[in-house]
Amino acid sequence: MSRGLKSLLLHVALVAGAVLALIPMGWMVSASFMAPGEANTFPPRILPAHPTLVHYQTLFGRLDLGRYALNSLIVAVAGTASCLLVTSLAGYAFAKLRFPGRDGTFRLLLGALVIPAQVSMLPLFLLMRELGLVNTYLGAIIPAMAPIFGIFMVRQFAGSIPDDLLDAARLDGASEWRIYRSIVLPVIAPVLVTLAIFTLLATWNDFMWPLIVLSDEAKWTLPVALASLSGEHAQDTELMMAGSVVTTLPVLAVFLVLQRFYIQGIMAGSVKG
Amino acid sequence: MNRAPGSQAEGRAGWWFVAPALTLIGVFYGIPVLAAFLLSFTDFDLYAIGNLDTVRFTGLGNYAALLHNPVFWTALRNTLYFALVGGPLSVLVSLSAALLVNARLARAKGVFRTIYFTPVVTTLVAVAVVWRYLYHPSYGLLNYGLGQLGIGRIDWLGDPRWSMPAIIVMAVWKNFGYNMLIFVAGLQNVPAELHEAAALDGASAWQRFRHVTVPALAPTFLLVGVLTTIGNFQLFSEPYVMTQGGPLRSTTTMVLLLYEEGFRWWRMGVAAAISVVLFLIVLAGTALQIRLQRRAAS
C-alpha cells in the first residue's frame, strides 16, 4: 500500500470516529432549538426548521432550572476548593515530610481504592442523617472533599521538590506551615490546576450520591433535577434536549478551555502510576 | 532517596498535614465501609431508621435471602454481562482510537484526541437522556441510520434482548476516550528504536504491533483493565435514567438493585449485603487480572 493511500484511509477512519463521537451532542444542541414535536418526525430532522428558544424559556421560567444550576455550582465549587486544600496538604506530607507510620498509612489508602464507593453509601447516609446533613450542600460535598486519587496525584508531583530546598528553609527558621504556603504551593500549582478541573467536573456530573442525600427538591443539583424531569416530560423531546444542554454545556466549556491541563494530567498520572 | 529521619517538628507537622484528609476519609469512608459489613448481618429497615432498638442481628440471613431471590441473580448476571462484554469492547475501542490518533501519519492529532475525549467530560445523566431519544424505535437517529443500511427497526430500550447491548454501546461511546488517553501515554513510552530494529529485521506492521507494541503496553493493559472493571461493576446512572432497570429487569444491575432495596424500600440490611457481594466480586476481579498479567509477563 502506498503511503498516500495509507494516509487517506487513516484520516477517513479518524474523521469517521470524530463524527460518531460528536453526533449525540450535535443532535442534542440542534433538537433543543426545534419546535415542540419537530424532533419526533420520520425521517428525523437534523436541523431545526425555525430555531426557537421556547424550551430554554420554559426551563428557566416555569421549571426553575436556574436554581438547580446554582445548587450544582455551589456543590462543585465548594467541593473543589475543600478538596484542593485537603489533598495538597496530605499529598505534600506523604511525599516529603518524614513522620512515623507515613508509608504504611499511604499503602492503606491505596488499598482502599479497590472498594467501590457504593459500599460506603448506606452507612454514610445514616451517618449524615444523625449529623443532620441530609439535604444540605455540605452533605453532598463531604464524599468529594478528600479523594484518595487526588492525594496520590499531589504526592506523585510533590515528590520532585528538592529536599535541599525544604531543608534550607528550615535552617532559615521557616515553620512547616510557612514552607507549605510559600515554597510548596507555588511548585505544585500545576497539579492542583489539573486536580481542580478533575474535581470540578466530577462533582458537577455526580449523580448517585446527590440523588441519595438531596431528597428536597430545593437542593437538587442539575443531574438529579434532569433525571426527575426526564421521567415527567419523557414526551417533550426538545425540552429534554434543552435541559441536557444546560446540564452539560458548562462542563464542556470548562473542559475545552482548560483541556491542556486535564489531558496532560491523565496521561502523566497513568505513566507514573 | 533515604534521608536521615526528620526533626520532631517535621514529624508533628506531617501528622497535622495529613490529619484533615485522614479524618475525612476515616469518618466518612472507612467507618461507613466497616459499618456496611455489620449492617449486612442485621435486619435494618424502615422501622430501624425511626427506632434503632428494633434492629436485630440476623447472621447470614440477608445473604441467604439474596441467594433465593431471583432478581438478585438477574442483577448479578446483568452486571457480569455488562462487565465481561462491555469491558473488553471498551478496551478494544480505546486501543484502536489510541493507535489512530497516535499514528505517525496522522495530522491534527491534538484535535482528534480532544474530540474523542469530549464524551468523557459530558454529564452522564444528560447524555443518557439524549441517547434515550437516539434509541427511539421510530424517530431515533440510530434506527434511521441502520435503516439506510437496510437493517430493520430495533426497539433498543424496549426489547429485553437489546436493552443491555444498547447500554453497552452508549457506555463505550461515553468512556472510551479516557482509556484512549492512557493508551496514548503508554504508546508514547514505547521506545522508537524497538520499532526501528523490528522493521529492519523485516517485521510487518502487524508483527511489530503484536511483538513490540503489545508487550510494551502490558502495564497499561493492567491499569486500564483494573480501572474499567471497577467502573463497570458500578453501573447505575445509565439504567436508572434510560430504562429504570427494565424491560423485564433486563438492565437491573447490582448497584441499581442496591439503590432500590436501600433507598426506595429502606431494606438497608439487604442492600448492605448486596454491597458486600459487589465488593468481593470487584476484589476478586482485580486480583484475577493482576495474577493473569503476572503470568503473562513471566
Side-chain angles (χ1 to χ4, degrees):
Chain A
M1 213 180 334
S2 78
R3 196 183 160 87
L5 185 62
K6 253 193 210 168
S7 168
L8 180 70
L9 286 177
L10 174 70
H11 286 92
V12 167
L14 277 169
V15 171
V19 170
L20 286 178
L22 292 179
I23 276 183
M25 283 172 288
W27 186 75
M28 164 183 82
V29 173
S30 172
S32 75
F33 295 112
M34 289 182 187
E38 200 180 340
N40 290 345
T41 49
F42 188 87
R45 281 185 167 283
I46 304 300
L47 291 173
H50 306 286
T52 166
L53 286 173
V54 63
H55 308 297
Y56 291 95
Q57 286 159 353
T58 310
L59 286 174
F60 284 100
R62 188 162 59 80
L63 296 174
D64 208 8
L65 212 64
R67 166 198 289 243
Y68 308 128
L70 184 66
N71 290 341
S72 274
L73 191 69
I74 293 172
V75 168
V77 171
T80 304
S82 43
C83 157
L84 288 182
L85 177 66
V86 171
T87 56
S88 66
L89 280 168
Y92 159 60
F94 276 124
K96 283 287 152 187
L97 294 179
R98 290 153 294 183
F99 58 94
R102 179 185 76 174
D103 297 339
T105 312
F106 186 70
R107 272 198 299 275
L108 192 68
L109 288 184
L110 280 190
L113 277 175
V114 297
I115 307 172
Q118 289 86 357
V119 177
S120 70
M121 280 185 186
L122 298 151
L124 185 59
F125 175 79
L126 297 174
L127 178 63
M128 294 291 177
R129 234 182 133 262
E130 287 303 309
L131 297 174
L133 292 177
V134 169
N135 279 322
T136 63
Y137 295 126
L138 186 59
I141 290 166
I142 276 180
M145 282 171 74
I148 295 173
F149 89 93
I151 298 174
F152 180 72
M153 268 172 69
V154 175
R155 177 180 174 271
Q156 294 284 90
F157 198 89
S160 61
I161 302 173
D163 289 321
D164 300 341
L165 189 66
L166 305 173
D167 285 336
R170 285 186 190 115
L171 282 179
D172 287 346
S175 69
E176 293 295 335
W177 174 251
R178 176 88 197 279
I179 294 174
Y180 162 79
R181 282 270 315 273
S182 17
I183 298 177
V184 176
L185 273 187
V187 175
I188 64 173
V191 76
L192 293 185
V193 173
T194 304
L195 187 59
I197 308 167
F198 263 85
T199 317
L200 205 61
L201 300 192
T203 42
W204 180 278
N205 292 337
D206 194 16
F207 179 57
M208 190 173 177
W209 179 247
L211 177 72
I212 290 169
V213 82
L214 303 174
S215 48
D216 176 6
E217 202 173 321
K219 290 279 165 44
W220 280 355
T221 56
L222 274 175
V224 178
L226 188 68
S228 164
L229 277 180
S230 83
E232 287 167 38
H233 295 266
Q235 303 311 315
D236 306 332
T237 312
E238 303 80 11
L239 180 73
M240 289 319 303
M241 291 309 106
S244 300
V245 170
V246 173
T247 305
T248 207
L249 204 62
V251 277
L252 269 182
V254 168
F255 165 68
L256 287 176
V257 173
L258 301 171
Q259 48 142 328
R260 197 161 52 90
F261 301 99
Y262 193 88
I263 285 181
Q264 278 170 1
I266 292 176
M267 292 179 46
S270 65
V271 173
K272 287 184 194 158
Chain B
M1 279 291 285
N2 264 332
R3 295 194 302 143
S7 67
Q8 223 175 0
E10 187 185 333
R12 254 200 320 273
W15 276 110
W16 275 114
F17 279 19
V18 297
L22 291 185
T23 309
L24 283 166
I25 293 170
V27 173
F28 297 109
Y29 190 63
I31 292 174
V33 165
L34 296 178
F37 282 84
L38 289 180
L39 199 58
S40 75
F41 300 123
T42 70
D43 65 350
F44 202 106
D45 58 10
L46 189 58
Y47 303 106
I49 292 182
N51 178 6
L52 278 176
D53 295 338
T54 66
V55 177
R56 277 168 312 172
F57 182 73
T58 54
L60 293 171
N62 291 326
Y63 294 94
L66 281 184
L67 296 184
H68 290 103
N69 181 354
V71 179
F72 171 74
W73 288 104
T74 307
L76 182 61
R77 204 170 50 233
N78 292 337
T79 306
L80 288 174
Y81 183 176
F82 182 78
L84 298 182
V85 176
L89 185 67
S90 161
V91 171
L92 199 68
V93 172
S94 302
L95 180 60
S96 312
L99 289 170
L100 281 181
V101 297
N102 203 52
R104 219 158 16 91
L105 293 172
R107 304 227 185 134
K109 291 178 184 184
V111 175
F112 285 111
R113 206 174 57 184
T114 301
I115 292 176
Y116 290 1
F117 190 76
T118 306
V120 175
V121 299
T122 55
T123 308
L124 183 50
V125 170
V127 294
V129 167
V130 172
W131 275 79
R132 215 172 68 184
Y133 294 101
L134 293 178
Y135 278 138
H136 193 285
S138 316
Y139 310 124
L141 275 189
L142 185 65
N143 270 357
Y144 179 72
L146 291 176
Q148 300 298 306
L149 301 174
I151 298 169
R153 187 177 284 187
I154 296 172
D155 189 0
W156 291 101
L157 298 176
D159 182 335
R161 285 171 305 166
W162 287 108
S163 50
M164 190 52 94
I167 286 185
I168 289 175
V169 168
M170 187 252 154
V172 168
W173 171 83
K174 172 85 172 72
N175 298 326
F176 81 93
Y178 193 88
N179 287 337
M180 174 195 76
L181 277 192
I182 300 183
F183 275 126
V184 168
L187 285 171
Q188 291 176 351
N189 269 20
V190 181
E193 303 90 66
L194 277 180
H195 275 286
E196 285 158 17
L200 279 179
D201 290 344
S204 69
W206 170 253
Q207 283 171 327
R208 285 201 308 267
F209 173 72
R210 177 70 195 77
H211 297 287
V212 176
T213 310
V214 171
L217 282 182
T220 312
F221 274 111
L222 179 62
L223 179 71
V224 163
V226 170
L227 287 180
T228 308
T229 308
I230 296 178
N232 278 355
F233 277 103
Q234 302 181 20
L235 181 67
F236 170 74
S237 306
E238 293 92 332
Y240 182 94
V241 172
M242 294 167 78
T243 58
Q244 294 82 49
L248 299 176
R249 290 268 179 208
S250 60
T251 55
T252 299
T253 59
M254 291 182 73
V255 175
L256 191 62
L257 187 64
L258 180 163
Y259 174 82
E260 286 181 2
E261 290 288 336
F263 295 106
R264 187 165 297 160
W265 311 120
W266 302 104
R267 290 192 283 251
M268 295 210 136
V270 178
I274 299 173
S275 75
V276 170
V277 174
L278 179 76
F279 166 62
L280 294 177
I281 293 176
V282 168
L283 197 64
T286 308
L288 182 72
Q289 293 194 51
I290 292 174
R291 174 169 287 197
L292 285 177
Q293 292 283 341
R294 284 214 181 118
R295 186 175 297 170
S298 65

